[in-house]
Amino acid sequence: MHTSESSRASEGKGVGLGLALVSALAFGGSGVAAKPLIEAGLDPLHVVWLRVAGAALVMLPLAVRHRALLRSRPALLAGFGLLGVAGVQAFYFASISRIPVGVALLVEYLAPALVLGWVRFVQRRPVTRAAALGVVLAVGGLACVVEVWSGLSFDALGLLLALGAACCQVGYFVLSDQGSDSGEVPDPLGVIAYGLLVGTAVLTVVAHPWTMDFSVLAQRADMNGTPVAAGLLLGWIVLIATVLAYVTGVVSVRRLSPAIAGVVACLEAVVATVLAWVLLGEHLSAPQIVGGAVVLLGAFIAQSSTPAKGSVEPVATGGAESRLSARENAA
């Protein structure tokens, strides 16, 4: 009996790891698919609106199924929609219109370090030396990524927008941490579905999608010299980089420990950087590659070393674009 249970547990972790890898790959491809649409003439906010609204439509049946969340967790749904969906996506897509995809995502990975600062200086909770080391590594690695010795070779506004995405992640992490105090964890798929609906409503007001040049979606976008149907890119962003990524991530973290989930989620930045290199021709220098690896290492150390309030199960999942996950709840 014991052997059978161990076998099932091992199999469950194997499935969870596989799903986490799928989620990281799916999330990592969002920027690579979105950038050609932006360069083809779509405003970054319009691309975000198309992504979120399309995913919300696909997830609508789940929202109906979990409609009780509207009464039990309105603040959590609003926070996830405003910060985890609208805020992160808008800042991230705006940043990649000005700086390379890999750099934007690596800047976003300062979020775990920023969360640590919130815990230490705002909540005045103790942090471990390992967590402090993680912050130092993340900041030092970021200095290499943006090449501070050459006077910030990247667009300063683009870097600020990427930092805005990281700050939105922090806001959601804090909200999620406070929302777990009751001990009743809501269904993560329901939270994601309503977060997408809230995000769509917010982005509709901000992005004014009725002013969008929809004709761009019927044309072809240029991906580093290769013409690709804009509709195909949008379909990838909605179905693969959003719906599939969120759902597989949610299922995976229920089978993995927070530490393992955090390591796998860090692969998103690696995937995004490699894809941008191969598909968009966005090459990074050797110091930037080393710096990126240090950022990821520091982010992982920071997020896995922060003392948690309890052992409440995570609410949802994801990586650099503010996915609710085990690693985020631990932060």
Side-chain angles (χ1 to χ4, degrees):
M1 180 66 73
H2 179 70
T3 302
S4 177
E5 290 178 353
S6 299
S7 177
R8 285 197 297 270
S10 177
E11 181 180 350
K13 289 183 178 179
V15 172
L17 182 59
L19 291 173
L21 289 172
V22 171
S23 181
L25 289 170
F27 274 128
S30 64
V32 175
K35 190 154 190 173
L37 294 178
I38 295 172
E39 294 178 341
L42 287 180
D43 185 274
L45 277 177
H46 289 162
V47 178
V48 175
W49 182 86
L50 287 168
R51 176 186 188 179
V52 175
L57 186 62
V58 174
M59 300 284 281
L60 187 59
L62 285 172
V64 174
R65 179 180 178 181
H66 298 287
R67 54 188 177 276
L69 287 173
L70 288 172
R71 296 189 304 272
S72 62
R73 289 301 180 88
L76 179 60
L77 301 184
F80 181 46
L82 289 170
L83 300 174
V85 175
V88 172
Q89 302 302 329
F91 278 114
Y92 173 62
F93 277 19
S95 70
I96 65 172
S97 70
R98 308 182 69 94
I99 62 178
V101 170
V103 173
L105 202 54
L106 288 170
V107 173
E108 243 187 279
Y109 262 85
L110 281 179
L114 294 176
V115 169
L116 197 64
W118 173 275
V119 171
R120 177 65 183 88
F121 298 109
V122 179
Q123 295 183 338
R124 298 191 180 281
R125 291 163 55 194
V127 297
T128 64
R129 290 182 179 179
L133 173 62
V135 173
V136 173
L137 288 174
V139 174
L142 182 63
C144 294
V145 171
V146 302
E147 295 184 330
V148 293
W149 54 85
S150 61
L152 290 178
S153 59
F154 293 117
D155 184 289
L157 179 57
L159 292 173
L160 287 175
L161 290 169
L163 185 60
C167 290
C168 283
Q169 284 201 50
V170 173
Y172 174 72
F173 295 163
V174 173
L175 174 66
S176 178
D177 186 42
Q178 293 174 345
S180 65
D181 290 340
S182 67
E184 297 179 1
V185 180
D187 188 282
L189 292 177
V191 173
I192 291 173
Y194 276 105
L196 290 169
L197 288 173
V198 172
T200 299
V202 173
L203 289 169
T204 298
V205 175
V206 175
H208 301 160
W210 52 87
T211 65
M212 189 190 318
D213 183 6
F214 284 94
S215 64
V216 173
L217 298 177
Q219 302 170 6
R220 291 183 177 274
D222 179 75
M223 182 176 282
N224 196 29
T226 303
V228 181
L232 181 62
L233 292 174
L234 179 60
W236 176 277
I237 292 171
V238 171
L239 298 176
I240 305 300
T242 307
V243 175
L244 177 65
Y246 272 114
V247 172
T248 53
V250 168
V251 177
S252 70
V253 296
R254 287 178 174 269
R255 298 171 179 265
L256 300 173
S257 69
I260 296 176
V263 171
V264 177
C266 284
L267 289 177
E268 179 191 339
V270 178
V271 170
T273 302
V274 172
L275 289 178
W277 193 320
V278 174
L279 300 178
L280 301 180
E282 295 183 350
H283 301 285
L284 298 180
S285 65
Q288 289 173 321
I289 294 174
V290 173
V294 174
V295 169
L296 296 181
L297 176 62
F300 169 67
I301 292 175
Q303 69 193 10
S304 61
S305 301
T306 305
K309 287 183 178 180
S311 57
V312 181
E313 188 176 358
V315 183
T317 185
E321 300 167 11
S322 187
R323 270 70 67 185
L324 302 160
S325 72
R327 65 184 179 84
E328 295 172 352
N329 200 51

